[in-house]
Amino acid sequence: NFTLDASITGIISPNNMRYYSRYNPICGNPVVIIENTGTTNLTSATITYGVQGGIPQTYNWSGSLAFLQSDTVTLPELTSWAGPAKCFQATISQPNGGVDQNPLNNSYVSYYNTPPDYMANKLAFELKTNNYAAYYTDTLKDSKGNVIFARPASGLLSNSTLYSDTVTLDTGCYVYCLYSLPDPFFPPGAFGLSCPFYSVGSPYDKIVNTGTNSTLVTFNNWYGRQIYWPFTVNEVLSVPELERAGTAAIYPNPSGGLFNLQVSLPGAEDITVKVENILGAAILEKSYRKVSQSLLQLDLSNQPDGVYIINIISNRGYMVKKVILQR
């Protein structure tokens, strides 16, 4: 065994593994698991974390872990999610202010998806209860944990009743949760709103853009005990532009389908242009050779209206742009 040896044994969030799906995606605080794998009690360490290829942050952890004890650490909110790939990395170092004797277990990586971004700041949260409403509550919180609303505000929810709260939100990250409370005699919450014995009155839960009167998401009623729904408002997490590889401009923006991408690089080099939708799914990827001062065209006319992320990747670095497809 080593005397001084700290390790990171897991990343709970951000992480797209199904095992951690209840806690992901996120737009706020990463959560990692550290372990003392040295024989000396671990009382302090430095955790460096961030998106691979992006701007790293550091956190000084302190506590007391005996040999093989672990701790789940909630890190400060990540200020930049920009990077050429959706890959998060955390590294632990300087156990007890010393040198880690086994660096092979110091780092851990995870791949992740970004939460949806709503390009509207006035949203309505509609909840139609079933016939067992007393066992349900829901909340909306910002990234700092401040409560925007909580239902019921007092007492209990009423059966087969529509609750609608309209809120105006600043740009940022939010988490909406619907909870099913335990019942000592029968667990209706285990079925979500669609409990077969109490789903009278067509219950539902959804978020509506009040500006366009369009539904942004309708949740599956068979959700189990909790809906966990992080989202951002007017804030695409990959947007911070790290102009490491040159400059890029996209016009017109918004566009009805065709975008012109003007790329200016210090010298001729190969680049890859990757287009993703707001959920992080790749919808277009093209490679170009010997690009220096070039005008490229991207055709997204076969895609639905919404926000898309343009990743421009070269050997020198990368750039990230946001475009809006609007007909």
Side-chain angles (χ1 to χ4, degrees):
N1 294 331
F2 297 96
T3 302
L4 281 181
D5 182 20
S7 64
I8 293 185
T9 58
I11 295 174
I12 295 176
S13 55
N15 199 324
N16 61 11
M17 289 180 60
R18 185 175 179 82
Y19 183 78
Y20 293 122
S21 61
R22 286 283 184 180
Y23 312 100
N24 287 280
I26 67 165
C27 50
N29 301 79
V31 180
V32 302
I33 303 172
I34 68 171
E35 184 174 311
N36 178 20
T37 41
T39 56
T40 301
N41 279 9
L42 183 66
T43 58
S44 67
T46 298
I47 301 175
T48 304
Y49 61 100
V51 178
Q52 281 191 350
I55 302 174
Q57 294 176 217
T58 59
Y59 173 72
N60 294 320
W61 173 87
S62 62
S64 180
L65 295 179
F67 179 53
L68 296 184
Q69 282 189 331
S70 62
D71 185 24
T72 300
V73 182
T74 300
L75 299 169
E77 186 173 355
L78 197 61
T79 58
S80 174
W81 292 87
K86 290 183 173 62
C87 181
F88 178 85
Q89 179 170 334
T91 301
I92 193 167
S93 62
Q94 298 179 315
N96 296 347
V99 177
D100 195 302
Q101 297 171 334
N102 179 25
L104 297 179
N105 58 9
N106 286 4
S107 296
Y108 205 100
V109 298
S110 64
Y111 292 90
Y112 63 91
N113 299 317
T114 53
D117 182 70
Y118 299 142
M119 305 301 290
N121 63 346
K122 193 171 184 180
L123 305 177
F125 293 78
E126 297 185 3
L127 172 63
K128 174 70 180 301
T129 59
N130 59 17
N131 207 34
Y132 213 68
Y135 285 83
Y136 298 87
T137 65
D138 66 346
T139 62
L140 176 66
K141 297 181 181 180
D142 64 19
S143 61
K144 306 297 183 184
N146 299 311
V147 177
I148 308 300
F149 73 74
R151 297 184 293 204
S154 62
L156 301 173
L157 294 177
S158 299
N159 292 344
S160 302
T161 301
L162 174 62
Y163 293 87
S164 181
D165 283 79
T166 299
V167 294
T168 301
L169 302 175
D170 295 328
T171 296
C173 168
Y174 299 88
V175 176
Y176 171 75
C177 289
L178 173 63
Y179 305 96
S180 303
L181 305 180
D183 182 339
F185 303 104
F186 179 75
F191 301 100
L193 289 173
S194 287
C195 173
F197 301 102
Y198 298 105
S199 58
V200 178
S202 302
Y204 63 84
D205 191 18
K206 65 181 180 180
I207 303 176
V208 177
N209 178 351
T210 60
T212 60
N213 197 31
S214 58
T215 298
L216 296 173
V217 60
T218 299
F219 299 106
N220 188 335
N221 282 348
W222 294 88
Y223 61 83
R225 293 198 179 277
Q226 174 182 303
I227 290 173
Y228 172 84
W229 190 256
F231 63 92
T232 56
V233 171
N234 296 319
E235 185 183 80
V236 178
L237 295 184
S238 298
V239 163
E241 298 177 8
L242 305 180
E243 303 290 353
R244 299 180 178 182
T247 60
I250 299 181
Y251 62 91
N253 189 16
S255 168
L258 295 177
F259 294 88
N260 295 311
L261 172 59
Q262 180 71 55
V263 179
S264 298
L265 301 176
E269 58 185 291
D270 299 342
I271 68 169
T272 298
V273 177
K274 183 178 181 181
V275 183
E276 299 174 335
N277 64 20
I278 199 61
L279 299 178
I283 62 167
L284 178 68
E285 184 170 332
K286 288 187 175 182
S287 296
Y288 302 89
R289 292 183 56 80
K290 305 302 180 183
V291 173
S292 178
Q293 307 291 322
S294 300
L295 179 62
L296 312 174
Q297 191 171 73
L298 302 176
D299 186 0
L300 303 184
S301 57
N302 63 339
Q303 299 296 324
D305 287 1
V307 177
Y308 293 85
I309 306 303
I310 313 296
N311 299 279
I312 306 139
I313 306 167
S314 77
N315 290 331
R316 294 177 182 267
Y318 64 93
M319 292 174 284
V320 182
K321 298 290 182 180
K322 176 180 71 173
V323 298
I324 298 175
L325 181 60
Q326 187 176 64
R327 296 175 178 86

